Amino acid sequence: MPQRPHIDFWFEFASTYTYLTAMRIAPMANAADVTVRWRPFLLGARFKALGWPADSPFNWQPDKGRHMWRDMERLCNAQGLPLVRPDPFPQPTLLAARVATAIAKDETLERDALPRFARAVFDAELGKGRQIGDPDVLARCLSQEGLPTAMLDTAPTQSVKDQLKAETAKALEAGVFGAPTFITGSGELFWGNDRLEQALDWARREAG
Amino acid sequence: MPQRPHIDFWFEFASTYTYLTAMRIAPMANAADVTVRWRPFLLGARFKALGWPADSPFNWQPDKGRHMWRDMERLCNAQGLPLVRPDPFPQPTLLAARVATAIAKDETLERDALPRFARAVFDAELGKGRQIGDPDVLARCLSQEGLPTAMLDTAPTQSVKDQLKAETAKALEAGVFGAPTFITGSGELFWGNDRLEQALDWARREAG
């Protein structure tokens, strides 16, 4: 019997283009009958490995940054999404990524708890321009989705920290260099919101 | 009377993704009734300004490079284009860019001389894996398109060198940071082969 097609969706809350993906991947994957595993990681690890500044490349490459924000305006407009540029950009995403990791680890939560939290964070950050490094903002993201705010206490525990580190290492090992990245069951890697359709197609075809 | 819509298509022969654009932009622009101005420039100037190595970022970022080549395989396959990885990559593109500039300057040539030459070069380089730094290879690109091989003698003249430098400066000034880049009449900038459709749409809409 053929396996149900699936993809890993590697995401980072500091990635503006991942906001576009987060808001559209669930219905699209559902329509394509592909299971999505949401996997938070920290892209900063890759910048560090390259010796790059601890900042978004969109800040220290202002020409590329100007295009990104204008491109985001055009794409959010086409996708019917609000866009408010958070200040500072990028927002500190460590705490949100740890909460996401704690949610992923917790098997007592509903299966869609992580996507719901992630969408709430992206909406707060890029739809409303809020400070997602602030625990109160993340608490509201959790509670609006009916998720336990106690996740904020689990977030800084050693096992969650270790898991986020291990996941980030796995991402880099698998060839992830940006976000969003999609990896199919056979290891086919697609980078960028622009490749979501192709990644879902590929996953479907390889599962036969 | 509304102006006929147009876009500037900034291209660099070392850019793999520009091969995809070069091979599809003419019929698409024609169908959209948009005039395309092909504008060669040298992307290395931007890398130099950032203090980056005089090499393709796809080489010194091997993770990103691996994805690019695989992505190119998938996209060339979908577009029905051959892909042969040239060795070395990137190819030296200065001479080809100067020939392209000489063609653009020469008002006695047919209007589509530059696109024809550019497509022949991209096909030689990335469709056949040939050495486009070799004047003999470029001579064949010219002659197969019925263009004067004397363009190779015009290429290293001071006025052509100056024009290519000036064009490169104009590109960076306009916000170009990668290739392909499309800029509409009003200055709306789109980066990447993935944005060709949107750039043509935008140009059409703004021309009313």
Side-chain angles (χ1 to χ4, degrees):
Chain A
M1 207 181 94
Q3 224 198 337
R4 189 166 195 262
H6 65 278
I7 56 172
D8 282 344
F9 164 33
W10 290 99
F11 69 98
E12 150 70 79
F13 288 116
S15 160
T16 52
Y17 287 106
T18 304
Y19 169 46
L20 302 173
T21 299
M23 295 313 192
R24 69 194 190 107
I25 193 171
M28 287 177 62
N30 201 41
D33 206 30
V34 172
T35 302
V36 177
R37 183 156 57 143
W38 291 58
R39 300 185 74 169
F41 79 111
L42 295 171
L43 194 48
R46 194 238 175 201
F47 299 157
K48 202 172 169 179
L50 277 168
W52 281 359
D55 190 6
S56 169
F58 292 123
N59 287 340
W60 56 266
Q61 297 177 55
D63 46 5
K64 199 165 184 170
R66 270 190 300 277
H67 175 265
M68 181 277 285
W69 287 112
R70 182 64 180 146
D71 197 40
M72 280 294 294
E73 278 175 19
R74 293 186 301 235
L75 296 169
C76 284
N77 191 48
Q79 204 173 318
L81 289 174
L83 178 67
V84 177
R85 190 167 164 166
D87 181 17
F89 173 81
Q91 289 280 296
T93 61
L94 180 62
L95 182 58
R98 284 183 179 161
V99 173
T101 303
I103 294 172
K105 271 172 75 78
D106 189 331
E107 291 174 4
T108 69
L109 297 173
E110 290 164 278
R111 239 169 35 94
D112 66 345
L114 178 54
R116 277 159 47 207
F117 172 71
R119 282 190 294 263
V121 173
F122 276 114
D123 175 60
E125 177 190 27
L126 290 157
K128 302 190 173 78
R130 295 202 179 129
Q131 305 296 315
I132 62 156
D134 179 345
D136 292 344
V137 170
L138 295 180
R140 280 197 295 276
C141 290
L142 288 163
S143 58
Q144 82 177 53
E145 294 300 326
L147 297 168
T149 53
M151 286 293 130
L152 276 163
D153 305 317
T154 317
T157 57
Q158 198 58 47
S159 73
V160 170
K161 287 183 185 177
D162 289 348
Q163 176 151 332
L164 180 55
K165 264 187 207 159
E167 283 288 282
T168 296
K170 268 185 216 165
L172 300 195
E173 175 82 12
V176 173
F177 58 90
T181 292
F182 315 106
I183 304 184
T184 70
S186 73
E188 191 75 17
L189 186 152
F190 296 82
W191 169 57
N193 176 60
D194 293 326
R195 295 288 176 275
L196 174 56
E197 287 81 353
Q198 284 158 259
L200 291 172
D201 267 4
W202 196 282
R204 258 186 92 83
R205 280 187 286 132
E206 77 182 12
Chain B
M1 207 181 91
Q3 224 196 340
R4 189 165 194 264
H6 65 278
I7 56 172
D8 282 343
F9 164 33
W10 289 100
F11 70 97
E12 150 71 79
F13 287 115
S15 159
T16 51
Y17 287 107
T18 304
Y19 170 45
L20 303 173
T21 299
M23 295 313 192
R24 69 194 189 108
I25 193 171
M28 287 176 62
N30 201 40
D33 207 31
V34 172
T35 302
V36 177
R37 184 156 55 144
W38 291 57
R39 300 185 75 169
F41 79 111
L42 295 171
L43 193 49
R46 194 237 174 200
F47 300 157
K48 200 172 170 183
L50 278 168
W52 281 359
D55 190 6
S56 168
F58 292 122
N59 287 341
W60 56 267
Q61 297 176 54
D63 46 6
K64 199 165 185 171
R66 269 190 301 276
H67 175 265
M68 181 276 286
W69 287 111
R70 183 63 180 144
D71 197 40
M72 280 293 294
E73 278 175 18
R74 294 186 301 235
L75 296 170
C76 284
N77 192 47
Q79 204 173 317
L81 290 175
L83 178 67
V84 177
R85 190 168 164 163
D87 182 18
F89 173 81
Q91 289 281 296
T93 61
L94 180 62
L95 182 58
R98 284 182 178 162
V99 173
T101 303
I103 294 172
K105 271 172 76 76
D106 189 331
E107 292 174 3
T108 69
L109 296 173
E110 289 163 280
R111 240 168 35 94
D112 66 345
L114 178 54
R116 277 159 46 207
F117 172 71
R119 282 190 295 264
V121 173
F122 277 114
D123 176 60
E125 178 190 27
L126 290 157
K128 302 192 173 77
R130 296 204 179 127
Q131 305 297 316
I132 62 156
D134 179 345
D136 291 344
V137 170
L138 295 180
R140 280 198 294 277
C141 290
L142 288 162
S143 57
Q144 84 178 50
E145 295 300 327
L147 297 168
T149 54
M151 287 292 130
L152 275 161
D153 305 317
T154 317
T157 57
Q158 198 58 47
S159 73
V160 170
K161 287 183 186 178
D162 289 348
Q163 177 150 332
L164 180 56
K165 263 188 208 159
E167 283 287 282
T168 296
K170 270 186 216 163
L172 301 195
E173 175 82 13
V176 173
F177 58 90
T181 292
F182 315 105
I183 304 185
T184 70
S186 74
E188 191 75 16
L189 187 152
F190 296 82
W191 169 56
N193 176 59
D194 293 327
R195 294 288 177 275
L196 174 56
E197 287 82 354
Q198 284 158 258
L200 292 172
D201 267 4
W202 197 282
R204 258 186 93 83
R205 279 186 287 131
E206 76 184 12

